[in-house]
Amino acid sequence: MNGADPEMVVEGLVEMGPGGPRLIGSHCLGCGTLYFPQMPGCPNPDCHDKRLERTLLPDEGTLYSYTIQRYQPPPLFRMDDWAPYVLGLVDLGAGLRVMGMLSGIGENEVEIGMKLRLAVEPLYRDAERGDVCTYMFAAAGDRA
Amino acid sequence: MRPVYALGAGVHPWGKWPDKPQLQLALEAMDAALADAGVAWPDVQALAAASSRFEGGMGWGLHANEVVQAVAEQGMPCINVGGACAAGVIALQSAYSLIASGQYDVVAALGAERMPKGFIPRPPGGKDDRTDNDYLRWVTMGATNPAYWAIEARRRQHDHGTTAETLAKASVLMRRNAAGNRYARYRDPVGVEEVFASPMVADPLHLLQICPVSDGAAAVILGSEDFVKRSGKPAVWVAGCAVGSGQFGDPARRIPTIATTVREGIPHTSEVVGAVRRAFEMAGVAPKDIDVLEMADNTAWHILAWPELFGFYEPGQGDWMLENGKLAIDGEIAVNPSGGFLSFGEATTAQALLQVAEVLWQLRGQAEGHQVSDAKVGMTAVLGLGANGGSVILTR
């Protein structure tokens, strides 16, 4: 994904930078907690400041757990050439765990603890918008 | 606070009832509960109704008002509560408080639901942008509810070595229990082979390891000590009744969010664990005292994991407990002798009251076909969207 920013399924989740895509989250100035996606406030009961700033989250993590989505989800989800896919829960550090589809990792290759790196991949092709993408996680090193 | 007693309960069988509107299910459950309690509508001083999401309530969630306008226009307070899959226990908590406070002597709690087919759809009202979690989870990754539970189950396999066979046996136990329960929807026993033969929905969970959706209704009538003494009716003490919401840092994969910030020392599924701990404290009992546990088994994983979360035994021991028959009706602690949600299906706002009805009948020795021998203390535990949790303890 070089050149123009990709068309995303929803705005405000991903920023394309020189080092690749990064998830956009919130960082609490009071307690230091990281959140994804951006939050309207900090729910930490021990935090008294609760002012949040927009931040870019770590782009590498480890797979905490996963499943394989065997049934086609309801129509809000759109994907060309639908086939079952791996859905992962990825630990990005600092206690932040993010769910997302895994890219390029088959169900026989997926393993808890594997190193992953954020990616942006097309989900479907729209007549007006062209390729519409979402964030995914790919094996770390694939895109080095 | 005054002591509160369960006078009676009524359940409309779970299933698919295309010819009965939600109000009809509610009225039938109420009639059964009134008969079970030996009282009549004129005795009822207030009604707390779990507001069903999919039908009725005049479009405003006014389910209690709809019921009293149909059968009991006697000026009583109508309390309509939300709480998604835990709404029934929040209705019960409301009824409990009205009696404990001394304001009323006989109060009913009610839940009735007709569920749409298939995956539970996105609720109305959200914006199609990143501020709506339910929108996000669909458009970015198509994460269905079973996928959330499957991620928990897969991690349990990693942490505790839970086998596919043990996970299947949790469903087998639920269906075996349901075989004797006339209110359950799925009453045919299944074996491990049939669980494995059912379609894989989200690895490692097959169709028969995930609760379906059903129509159903349940009602519970509560009364004060004064009323119990005056009327001479048999009653069971509501020793604990607690609701709560989630805690910051809870590691559970909370539907429909797409991320979690986890902190050390916070219990998994903290909304339910918090309510369970408060109920234990109110009742002055501990897990070892519980004879019957009716808990939300949205999947087979829950049967293994939840009693551990509540402190019944050590994390990871659920597999051994299940494999060795300790969770069966004649075991150490009967988990879901009713057959659980795996055999009933979810009727979201009614199911927490179904659990209380089951425990009440177990303690009275009236759980025909699935009775736990000499049950003295029973507990419920339920989870709802929005990180709602609740737990009720009855003792005799």
Side-chain angles (χ1 to χ4, degrees):
Chain A
M1 284 296 156
N2 296 315
D5 280 358
E7 182 77 14
M8 300 294 292
V9 285
V10 59
E11 290 305 308
L13 294 185
V14 175
E15 182 173 303
M16 299 304 292
R22 301 276 292 271
L23 294 174
I24 306 167
S26 296
H27 169 245
C28 179
L29 296 170
C31 64
T33 304
L34 292 180
Y35 296 102
F36 177 72
Q38 292 182 75
M39 290 276 283
C42 174
N44 180 358
D46 297 326
C47 177
H48 297 282
D49 187 331
K50 297 183 182 290
R51 278 177 303 143
L52 299 176
E53 64 176 4
R54 181 185 187 273
T55 192
L56 298 181
L57 299 169
D59 61 356
E60 287 194 336
T62 57
L63 186 65
Y64 184 80
S65 188
Y66 66 93
T67 185
I68 297 154
Q69 180 72 43
R70 298 273 175 192
Y71 274 70
Q72 189 158 7
L76 262 182
F77 178 72
R78 198 170 150 193
M79 180 181 178
D80 287 341
D81 306 321
W82 192 88
Y85 54 86
V86 187
L87 200 51
L89 178 62
V90 181
D91 196 329
L92 295 182
L96 183 61
R97 293 180 192 156
V98 176
M99 275 167 76
M101 297 168 72
L102 300 195
S103 166
I105 301 168
E107 57 182 87
N108 297 322
E109 302 161 312
V110 60
E111 201 176 343
I112 287 176
M114 69 192 301
K115 303 283 179 214
L116 299 168
R117 182 186 176 90
L118 192 74
V120 164
E121 302 286 349
L123 263 183
Y124 57 91
R125 187 164 183 84
D126 184 90
E128 284 170 20
R129 299 166 71 195
D131 279 342
V132 180
C133 302
T134 191
Y135 74 86
M136 297 189 189
F137 293 94
D142 269 14
R143 297 162 53 87
Chain B
M1 288 223 307
R2 299 194 302 170
V4 177
Y5 292 83
L7 304 177
V11 168
H12 186 290
W14 259 230
K16 282 316 236 184
W17 309 106
D19 301 329
K20 286 189 188 181
Q22 184 261 355
L23 178 62
Q24 183 64 29
L25 295 176
L27 293 175
E28 289 188 31
M30 269 303 299
D31 282 349
L34 293 168
D36 190 52
V39 298
W41 269 112
D43 299 310
V44 177
Q45 297 169 310
L47 175 62
S51 289
S52 78
R53 173 172 154 209
F54 298 104
E55 184 179 308
M58 307 171 187
W60 293 85
L62 304 178
H63 295 272
N65 302 76
E66 204 170 35
V67 166
V68 300
Q69 286 183 5
V71 290
E73 283 201 310
Q74 55 208 47
M76 73 172 82
C78 288
I79 299 177
N80 301 285
V81 303
C85 299
V89 75
I90 298 175
L92 193 84
Q93 169 77 62
S94 307
Y96 176 95
S97 302
L98 289 175
I99 294 171
S101 70
Q103 198 170 4
Y104 295 105
D105 288 302
V106 178
V107 182
L110 166 70
E113 194 79 83
R114 291 210 320 159
M115 299 290 291
K117 284 184 74 164
F119 291 121
I120 295 173
R122 181 184 175 212
K127 276 192 66 159
D128 286 357
D129 65 20
R130 67 172 168 79
T131 63
D132 185 280
N133 279 314
D134 218 334
Y135 179 73
L136 278 189
R137 61 123 159 200
W138 292 122
V139 296
T140 59
M141 66 190 80
T144 59
N145 288 6
Y148 284 77
W149 308 123
I151 283 172
E152 302 282 9
R154 176 65 76 193
R155 183 69 199 190
R156 182 185 178 86
Q157 294 188 305
H158 177 83
D159 289 342
H160 298 304
T162 299
T163 64
E165 182 140 352
T166 304
L167 263 179
K169 284 179 179 168
S171 296
V172 172
L173 174 65
M174 290 302 99
R175 291 288 282 266
R176 190 193 307 149
N177 289 355
N181 188 352
R182 65 193 169 98
Y183 295 110
R185 178 176 176 188
Y186 297 100
R187 299 179 55 194
D188 296 331
V190 298
V192 167
E193 312 73 31
E194 282 163 279
V195 175
F196 284 150
S198 69
M200 184 69 91
V201 175
D203 305 47
L205 300 175
H206 298 77
L207 190 63
L208 288 182
Q209 294 170 306
I210 298 166
C211 76
V213 292
S214 295
D215 307 335
V220 175
I221 317 281
L222 300 181
S224 67
E225 194 156 40
D226 289 349
F227 181 84
V228 170
K229 281 183 179 156
R230 205 165 59 232
S231 65
K233 305 220 180 283
V236 170
W237 183 36
V238 184
C241 183
V243 300
S245 59
Q247 293 176 47
F248 174 75
D250 183 338
R253 262 302 47 242
R254 188 179 288 165
I255 298 168
T257 67
I258 60 169
T260 317
T261 298
V262 179
R263 289 288 175 266
E264 283 295 315
I266 306 299
H268 194 287
T269 319
S270 56
E271 57 272 53
V272 183
V273 171
V276 162
R277 286 178 181 172
R278 276 191 292 279
F280 275 139
E281 202 173 314
M282 285 174 81
V285 299
K288 65 175 170 44
D289 303 311
I290 305 291
D291 302 306
V292 178
L293 172 64
E294 277 289 324
M295 47 152 268
D297 53 325
N298 293 71
T299 71
W301 168 79
H302 294 72
I303 298 286
L304 298 175
W306 272 29
E308 297 170 2
L309 299 177
F310 303 158
F312 280 85
Y313 34 81
E314 293 300 308
Q317 207 186 335
D319 301 33
W320 185 89
M321 294 289 287
L322 177 74
E323 291 278 359
N324 288 278
K326 306 291 186 190
L327 309 182
I329 285 174
D330 60 354
E332 245 168 56
I333 153 98
V335 173
N336 293 354
S338 68
F341 298 175
L342 285 170
S343 308
F344 274 76
E346 277 208 292
T348 50
T349 49
Q351 59 206 22
L353 290 162
L354 167 73
Q355 295 179 319
V356 176
E358 169 68 18
V359 169
L360 174 62
W361 293 332
Q362 285 286 352
L363 299 198
R364 283 186 187 161
Q366 294 174 336
E368 190 187 317
H370 59 290
Q371 178 67 45
V372 175
S373 170
D374 196 31
K376 292 188 174 67
V377 187
M379 172 177 233
T380 73
V382 74
L383 168 74
L385 188 74
N388 281 300
S391 178
V392 177
I393 296 177
L394 304 184
T395 70
R396 69 166 168 91

